[in-house]
Amino acid sequence: MHLGHLTLNPSGFLDSIGMYRSSTTPDTVSTHFGTIPLADNAAQSLESVSHSRLMLKGEFGEGPVLFSGYLESDFLNPNRNQSPYR
């Protein structure tokens, strides 16, 4: 996308993760292995797209001078009870 001397290039990717555990833990797919050995309880299946990323590269300038910047964001906010987007 071109806006005068500014060029914006959005990009990103979708990462889908699925896993099975023989016992239930309070962790997400990004496990901390905090309860090993696992307690004797029910099995658990998890799915997540939280490792997906959104990216934006911006370039500004003309001729021999070019400034560029890069922003990246994901859905891995470690704070519970908040939006997963960070």
Side-chain angles (χ1 to χ4, degrees):
M1 177 182 341
H2 298 283
L3 304 168
H5 296 294
L6 176 66
T7 302
L8 298 174
N9 297 310
S11 62
F13 63 88
L14 176 68
D15 185 17
S16 177
I17 299 173
M19 68 181 300
Y20 172 82
R21 294 183 185 135
S22 59
S23 292
T24 301
T25 69
D27 294 329
T28 64
V29 293
S30 301
T31 186
H32 300 101
F33 298 109
T35 56
I36 293 182
L38 297 173
D40 188 22
N41 54 22
Q44 180 180 36
S45 293
L46 299 169
E47 296 81 28
S48 176
V49 294
S50 62
H51 289 85
S52 302
R53 305 277 169 133
L54 300 174
M55 296 170 267
L56 178 67
K57 180 181 178 186
E59 295 178 330
F60 180 80
E62 185 176 13
V65 178
L66 180 67
F67 296 98
S68 64
Y70 182 81
L71 297 172
E72 181 177 286
S73 190
D74 59 30
F75 299 90
L76 293 172
N77 187 353
N79 301 317
R80 293 194 183 262
N81 301 324
Q82 289 184 357
S83 170
Y85 184 72
R86 64 176 181 166

